[in-house]
Every structure is written in C-alpha cells, then in structure tokens.
Amino acid sequence: MKKIGILGSTGSIGTQTLEIVRNNKDLQVTALAAGSSVSKMEEQIREFLPQIAVMWSEEAAGELRTRVADTNTRVLSGMEGLLELAVCPEMDVLVTAIVGMIGIKPTIAAIEAGKTIALANKETLVTAGHIIMPLAKEKKVSILPVDSEHSAIFQSMHGENRERVRKILLTASGGPFRGKKRDELRNITVEDALKHPNWSMGRKITVDSSTLVNKGLEVIEAKWLFGVEPEAIQVVVHPQSIIHSMVEYADGGIMAQLGMPDMKLPIQYALFYPDRRPMEGKRVDFFELGSMTFEKPDTDTFRGLSMAYEAIASGGSMPTVFNAANEKAVALFLDKKIRFLDIYDLIQGAMESHKTIQNPSVEQILEAETEAYDYIMNSGRRS
Ligand code: NAD
Ligand code: MG
C-alpha cells in the first residue's frame, strides 16, 4: 500500500490525483489540504477517509470540523496545519498541487522528513530550487515531476546517461493567442484568456499559458530539476500538444514522450515510477492527427518567456520577483482590474525595481515576494 498526501486536493491536479487513487486500490490517502472549499473537502473526506485534512483559513477549518465530527479525520488549519501534514508519519508520497509560493515551506518540511515529492507546484522550484534540490539530494529524497513537460523530459532520460544530454526541447502549445501580434492583444478579455486550446487546468496556470509566463516558469523549473543551464533549454511551439517534450543527446539522437494531453498520465507516472500502470483514455491516433507542426516562440509579443530568461540570468531572488509579480498581476487581470498586456508591464516594472539578493534564504524569498506584491498593488491600482 502506498500512502499519499495531497496539497491542493480540490484543484485541477488534486482532483485528477484522486481519480488515480480511485483506479488503483493499492493507493491510500493519508492527508488532504485545500484553500477554502469546505463542501468539496467534506466529500473527499467521506470518500477517502484521510487521517488529516487541512483548510487554509481557520474559519473554513472550523466549519469543516463541525461537518465531519462523525469521522476520524483530524482537521487542522493554516501554515501550521500544512507543516504538520508534510511530516505525517503515515505518508510516503506528497503530491504538491497547491498554487503559488505557499508550497515552499511544506515541501521543505516533507523533504526533511524523507517523503517522496510528486511535484506539480512549479512556483516552489522556481523560487527556491537552490534550496530544494540540494536538500533533496542530501536527504536522498526523489523529486518526481508532475508537470507534463518535465515528466516527458524525465521519461526521455530514463535509463540514459545524463552526462550525454545536449539539449532539452521544451514544447509549448503557444496558448490561445498564438500567431497574434501585440496590437491584437490589447482588448483580450478574461474569458478569452481562459480558453486553452488543448489543456483543461486551473485559472491561474491557464492565464500563464496564454502569456507564455507558464513556459518561462517551466524553463526555470527544468533548470533546477535536471541541472541544466538555460542555454541548453530550447522552447519549441508545438500547437497539437502531442509531444510533451524531448531530450537531445550527444550523438544527435532525440528521445521524446508523446501522448494525448491528459495530466493523469504524468501524475500516475510520478506515483508509480518506474512502473507504467494501465490507464483508460483516448489514445493518439496518428492518422486522425495527420501532422504535427513546430514554430519558434514569438518572444517579442509574448514577453513572459524572455522575462523568465532575464530572471534566470540575474539569478538569486529575481525569479521570485518574476513569479510573485506575475501571480499578483494575473489575480488583478482575473478580477478585471487591469488589461491583459498590463501583466507584462507590471512584471517588468517589479523586476526593474528589485535589487537581486544572491542565494536567498526562505525568509528572503518570502520578503522578495512581499516586495513584488506591494509593487504590483501600488502600480496596478494606477494603471
Ligand atoms: P487549482 O487552482 O485548480 O488548484 C489549487 C489547489 O490548491 C486547490 O485545491 C486550492 O484549494 C488549493 N490551495 C490554494 N491556496 C491554498 C492555501 N493557501 N492552502 C491550502 N491549499 C490551497 O490549480 P492547479 O491548476 O491544480 O495547479 C496546481 C499547481 O500545479 C500549480 O503550481 C500549477 O502551476 C501546477 N500545474 C498544474 C497543471 C494543470 O494541469 N492544472 C499542469 C502542470 C502544473
Ligand atoms: Mg506544463
């Protein structure tokens, strides 16, 4: 029996992880955590009977505690609850499916307690990769990627000599606005940005896919996960989203992982690695597909990617500012307080006003996050 905990169990990755639990009887849920959706959490507790459930707010936790008083699940709240969940003795794997930098501290705590990490929460690696990766190595803990591109890269490196890797080819769908120019993006609405052509995901990451900020975050995530320099990571736009990423080796050979765009495959692969458990679902039909195409990303229009490379070049706390500024700007866009293109200008402004701290501690990362949030709240209101 493999015992799992899920940070962010009511979200897109979280609920798909639970679907895999339903289909694999040797998986057992020990702990669940979510932000504020009490009803969804109650349903999950009744179905999966975890030992611990955490709600972010004390208010939500209080309501949940009353509702599930007849069960054996202990209800906790806040960061304290997340940290207790992270070290829960009856847990082998922690699936980090929370959004944003809130995942940093629980992920570190889980690694220190020797838990395997199935990592979806890319913001944690983007901002604290220099802390997480060496710590995981020291504690001999595996960080198994859930992000589809990183899972594809990981699968394409399976059994290979990593020293022979020349290049990572990180694929991108290009998002819903691929081919559009800056002028055509001025009046993009929230509804337009939430229409991803191939993947169904949470709201924040869907907007990030439309700005290419998501691909920028993924370049930084790949740098930390696979220990490669950013120059060795090339983003390739592949609108059909069938090739989930590729790795080129010293002899010119390229290994790729292909499949339908369905997050359940990379989630399940991380949970059972190196096994490939059976899974139902639509298969790639190459005759139906007909052709696969490739393009260079338009980084002048979709500045999310170029700004990510700038953030890596500055290093230290700059990726945190890139990430945090984006997080707040996207929240303002989703609230219809700013326009689509303002997202880029706000991120750029926050990065320009930040003085990079090299090798930041967790506290310094969180300070850089607050500084970026403040910058966005002050300039966002004016724009
Ligand atoms: P989502 O918005 O659908 O779900 C987020 C989950 O986190 C929810 O359960 C929410 O309740 C919980 N949460 C939010 N704030 C919390 C807090 N303070 N305390 C406790 N729980 C909190 O997001 P998602 O799309 O599932 O994405 C989750 C992570 O996975 C993100 O880092 C994203 O970049 C990454 N990711 C997602 C996909 C995808 O297909 N959805 C693909 C690759 C990577
Ligand atoms: Mg991805």
Side-chain angles (χ1 to χ4, degrees), residues 284-326:
V284 176
D285 177 334
F286 285 95
F287 300 131
E288 195 182 302
L289 181 64
S291 60
M292 291 195 281
T293 58
F294 305 95
E295 295 165 19
K296 217 173 164 172
D298 174 1
T299 51
D300 293 332
T301 305
F302 300 96
R303 286 154 59 211
L305 191 53
S306 34
M307 289 193 290
Y309 277 101
E310 283 163 29
I312 309 174
S314 303
S317 53
M318 197 55 96
T320 296
V321 172
F322 169 69
N323 175 65
N326 174 64

Side-chain angles (χ1 to χ4, degrees), residues 8 10-13 34-35 56 97-99 120-123 147 201-202 263:
T10 59
S12 159
I13 296 288
W56 180 246
I98 210 164
V99 202
N121 178 219
K122 64 189 87 184
E123 296 90 341
D147 208 346
M201 309 180 283
M263 285 307 296

